[in-house]
Amino acid sequence: NKRKSIRSFENKQVAEKILKELKTKATKAPSASNRQPWIFYFICSKKLRNKISNILIETLYKSKDEINSKPPHLRKVIYDFYADLGGCQNIIFVFRPVFENEALHIKPNDIASISLAIENIMLSAVEKDLGTCWIGSFNGKENEKKLKKILKVPKNQQLVAGFLIGYPKRGYTPLIRKKKPLTEVMKFV
């Protein structure tokens, strides 16, 4: 698997044709009870992208103490990345419809199904020489409310995830993070 989180991108839009192909791959993912609970928002507008970037910059400054507790090389990566989303020009948000009186098992099943669809996009992106980066900072009630307003998302939709997709910057070396040993995360019984 060649997929890595990319945090530095070329200043280049991904063609709409490619984004549509990736969307098709996403919708081939399995989903619990075949609910297909995903609603994808592909951000291609520079104006929207910049508004979204500003939301993340605000979030960054609210978490300054936490970020400053990290090692210096990691702090630099974080600040450089959030300053302009690593130069990435495209963002994908995935929302799910929320219904009144929804059964308790629906939300975790929907999130798992959406995660599978996102992984399909991320793995397919690598085949097209694209990079991706999941952005956890998009989540949270305050950011979700701002994003929904900017994107004109109906109130009955809930943000599940947001991630960047674009062309990795030439010469960029992805941040290597230590992974847990297989013995810690896998058990044969």
Side-chain angles (χ1 to χ4, degrees), residues 25 32 53 78 94 118 171 178:
K25 301 265 185 166
S53 178
I78 293 168
V94 191
I118 291 169
K178 185 178 176 186

Short mmCIF file of all heavy atoms in Angstrom, two decimals, residues 25 32 53 78 94 118 171 178:
data_model
loop_
_atom_site.label_atom_id
_atom_site.label_comp_id
_atom_site.label_asym_id
_atom_site.label_seq_id
_atom_site.Cartn_x
_atom_site.Cartn_y
_atom_site.Cartn_z
N LYS A 25 -15.93 5.22 -7.17
CA LYS A 25 -15.23 4.19 -6.37
C LYS A 25 -15.74 4.20 -4.93
O LYS A 25 -15.91 3.15 -4.32
CB LYS A 25 -13.73 4.43 -6.38
CG LYS A 25 -13.11 4.42 -7.75
CD LYS A 25 -12.55 3.09 -8.07
CE LYS A 25 -11.84 3.18 -9.41
NZ LYS A 25 -11.00 2.09 -9.72
N ALA A 32 -23.55 -0.93 5.79
CA ALA A 32 -24.44 -1.71 6.65
C ALA A 32 -25.88 -1.60 6.14
O ALA A 32 -26.36 -0.50 5.86
CB ALA A 32 -24.35 -1.20 8.09
N SER A 53 -10.33 27.08 5.01
CA SER A 53 -8.98 27.20 5.57
C SER A 53 -8.97 28.14 6.76
O SER A 53 -8.34 27.87 7.78
CB SER A 53 -8.02 27.69 4.48
OG SER A 53 -6.73 27.85 5.00
N ILE A 78 2.83 21.22 11.63
CA ILE A 78 1.43 21.59 11.91
C ILE A 78 1.15 23.03 11.48
O ILE A 78 0.19 23.30 10.76
CB ILE A 78 1.10 21.39 13.41
CG1 ILE A 78 1.13 19.90 13.75
CG2 ILE A 78 -0.25 22.01 13.76
CD1 ILE A 78 1.11 19.59 15.24
N VAL A 94 -17.73 14.58 3.96
CA VAL A 94 -18.75 13.54 3.90
C VAL A 94 -19.70 13.74 5.08
O VAL A 94 -19.27 13.80 6.23
CB VAL A 94 -18.14 12.12 3.94
CG1 VAL A 94 -19.22 11.10 3.59
CG2 VAL A 94 -16.97 12.00 2.98
N ILE A 118 -14.61 6.36 2.23
CA ILE A 118 -13.47 7.29 2.21
C ILE A 118 -12.18 6.53 1.89
O ILE A 118 -11.37 7.00 1.09
CB ILE A 118 -13.36 8.04 3.56
CG1 ILE A 118 -14.53 9.02 3.70
CG2 ILE A 118 -12.02 8.77 3.66
CD1 ILE A 118 -14.66 9.63 5.09
N GLY A 171 9.04 16.37 -4.57
CA GLY A 171 10.11 16.35 -3.58
C GLY A 171 9.63 16.24 -2.14
O GLY A 171 10.43 16.14 -1.22
N LYS A 178 5.40 6.56 13.87
CA LYS A 178 5.60 5.21 14.38
C LYS A 178 4.24 4.51 14.48
O LYS A 178 3.28 5.06 15.02
CB LYS A 178 6.27 5.28 15.75
CG LYS A 178 6.63 3.95 16.32
CD LYS A 178 7.34 4.10 17.66
CE LYS A 178 7.59 2.73 18.25
NZ LYS A 178 8.14 2.82 19.59
#
